[in-house]
Each structure stands twice: as structure tokens, then as C-alpha cells.
Amino acid sequence: MAIYVLLGPPGVGKGTLAEMLCERFGFMHVSTGDILREEVRRGTDLGLRVKGYMDSGGLVPDEVIGAIIAGRLAEDDVQRRGCLLDGFPRTLPQATLFDRLIHDGAPALDRVLLLQADEELLLKRLTARRVCARCRAVFNVLFTPPRQEGVCDRCGGPLEQRRDDTDATARERLRVYGAQTEPLVRFYDERKLVLRFDAARDKNELLRAVCQALSLS
Ligand code: AP5
Ligand code: MG
């Protein structure tokens, strides 16, 4: 049973790749961003607590994320099928916490997949992203537009923009990534766990490169 971390800046395509890998190989997709957005949408106490951080492009406190991840990694489906962690860990304290969880019986970390693309492309991808309000399918008005403008190809639901995908907030998220998350590359490089991928290419080509590097078929 495998566990992989997807590391890379906002907009690089972590969610898109995770969906494809999970569909093909049956891993669970554990996206802290998706979990938090769902809490915000439902207006839970947790959602109310984290909304301000997310809207401003900052990070949610480590202890909040730690509780979410500890619970999720202990669940049956993750234990059985393995998972792709998308958006966690994102700070050095989160990486240390993750080590402790692994020690306490969570599945061991196999590989860190680092996705890379230049900032200009990331900003384009982020500001052009649209998400279905109903089924959460992801589109991009520049790169993968829906057949009918504003309408989801999959379920016919309305497409909306994520609140943090404005130009100003996207730039702040990229800055925060550089300051708080990029140090993790070195942390995992020292353990020889990092595989690097050029993510500025077609998503199917990227998928092929990742499958080859991980010997998945
Ligand atoms: P999160 O949801 O994790 O956002 P992110 O890391 O900023 O990444 P994105 O989801 O924006 O981008 P992505 O890499 O998934 O790209 P995607 O595949 O969608 O976090 C949001 C917030 O939650 C954070 O700011 C923070 O506040 C909080 N948070 C979450 N986790 C946290 C943690 N651990 N600690 C603290 N706070 C946390 O693709 C982007 C667009 O490009 C899409 O339109 C897609 O269609 C398109 N696209 C993708 N791949 C390609 C391709 N190959 N070719 C062309 N277009 C492509
Ligand atoms: Mg994402």
C-alpha cells in the first residue's frame, strides 16, 4: 500500500494529476484544500475558523491541519488503498507531525512528487480556473474550457471561480509557497524521496511520466 505526497506551488496541477492517478490506480485523494473548502461551504465551526486564512492566501494553523490529517490517515479506505496527499505537508512543523503519524501506524511515505512550472504559467492557470459548484469538476477557460461557457460538461451545474483565484490572492499564495512550503523540498531531498516533474506540459504527458517514474501501469 503506497502513500505519495504531491508537492508544488498553487496552480501547478496537483489536484488534476491526483484525480487522474486515483481514478486509474484506486488510491484515495486526500486534499487538505478540498476538505477545508467543503467545511467553509457547509458553514461549520471549522469552516468559519479557516475561511479568513484561505481568502487572504495565507496558511491555516498547523494544529488545525494536523487534526484533519491524523483523522483521515487513520481511516480504513486510506489504510487499505493508499493515498495521494495533495496540499499536505505544507510547512516544516507539518512534515514533522507527519513523521510522528507514520511512526504511530499511519502508512509510510513512499515518494514525494514535486511538480514544477514557472510563475507566469501558474498565474494564468489559477486565474483562469473554474470549478463546478455542484460536482466540483475543474475546468480552465484558457486551457480546458467547458463545451458551453459557464456550464459543467459533466453534470450541467454552474461554474464558479474559487475565492482565492483572484490575481492578488494567487500572487500571495505563490509568495507563501516560496516562504513556507519550498523548504520542504530540501527536507525530503535529504531523505532522497523527491522525484521532480516538469508540469508545464499536457496533463496526459505528465501522467505518463509519473507512472513511468513510479513503475505504475
Ligand atoms: P489548496 O487547495 O491546496 O491550493 P493550492 O496548493 O494553492 O493549489 P491549487 O489547488 O490552487 O492548485 P493545484 O496545484 O491543485 O492545481 P489544479 O490541478 O487545480 O489550498 C488552498 C488553501 O487552503 C491554502 O491557501 C491554505 O489557506 C489552505 N490549506 C490547504 N492545505 C493546507 C495546509 N496543509 N496547511 C495550511 N493551510 C492549508 O490546476 C490549476 C488549473 O490549471 C486548473 O484550471 C486545471 O484545469 C489547470 N491545469 C492543471 N494541469 C494542467 C495542465 N497540465 N495543462 C493545462 N492546464 C492544467
Ligand atoms: Mg488543488
Side-chain angles (χ1 to χ4, degrees):
M1 198 266 323
I3 187 159
Y4 302 108
V5 163
L6 280 171
L7 196 58
V12 78
K14 301 180 296 295
T16 303
L17 177 67
E19 287 292 325
M20 291 192 294
L21 283 169
C22 290
E23 191 184 326
R24 199 142 146 192
F25 300 107
F27 305 124
M28 300 310 297
H29 179 191
V30 176
S31 159
T32 42
D34 287 349
I35 294 169
L36 294 168
R37 275 185 292 281
E38 182 60 17
E39 297 286 337
V40 172
R41 198 186 63 73
R42 286 168 44 215
T44 62
D45 287 348
L46 174 61
L48 293 174
R49 179 157 178 220
V50 301
K51 184 171 182 299
Y53 297 104
M54 298 176 77
D55 284 353
S56 68
L59 294 183
V60 168
D62 289 332
E63 65 272 17
V64 174
I65 301 293
I68 292 173
I69 285 290
R72 192 66 190 92
L73 290 185
E75 282 177 59
D76 243 27
D77 53 355
V78 169
Q79 296 272 340
R80 245 180 321 111
R81 292 164 59 175
C83 77
L84 277 161
L85 288 169
D86 164 4
F88 174 90
R90 225 173 174 106
T91 62
L92 286 168
Q94 289 182 20
T96 310
L97 167 87
F98 187 28
D99 279 348
R100 274 209 307 278
L101 292 175
I102 290 170
H103 212 73
D104 291 347
L109 172 60
D110 284 77
R111 284 287 184 186
V112 174
L113 315 180
L114 175 63
L115 306 187
Q116 298 170 301
D118 68 48
E119 189 158 321
E120 198 186 331
L121 180 63
L122 298 174
L123 281 168
K124 270 193 194 160
R125 283 187 182 173
L126 287 169
T127 51
R129 174 167 50 194
R130 299 293 182 274
V131 183
C132 176
R134 203 183 291 157
C135 76
R136 303 281 137 211
V138 178
F139 298 85
N140 193 288
V141 293
L142 289 177
F143 304 112
T144 49
R147 282 191 295 274
Q148 191 187 337
E149 195 186 325
V151 180
C152 177
D153 288 353
R154 206 199 291 174
C155 77
L159 300 186
E160 59 186 21
Q161 192 169 22
R162 251 169 64 173
R163 297 167 59 88
D164 57 353
D165 276 347
T166 60
D167 184 71
T169 309
R171 285 177 194 275
E172 173 62 6
R173 286 157 60 206
L174 289 168
R175 191 193 66 73
V176 168
Y177 175 81
Q180 305 212 46
T181 306
E182 221 160 23
L184 293 181
V185 175
R186 184 149 168 225
F187 179 88
Y188 286 121
D189 256 341
E190 282 169 1
R191 302 181 181 188
K192 308 212 180 323
L193 286 175
V194 182
L195 294 171
R196 289 170 163 73
F197 298 94
D198 169 15
R201 53 179 156 171
D202 176 80
K203 64 181 184 179
N204 292 306
E205 277 176 37
L206 175 62
L207 176 67
R208 266 197 296 279
V210 169
C211 290
Q212 198 171 25
L214 296 177
S215 305
L216 293 170
S217 57

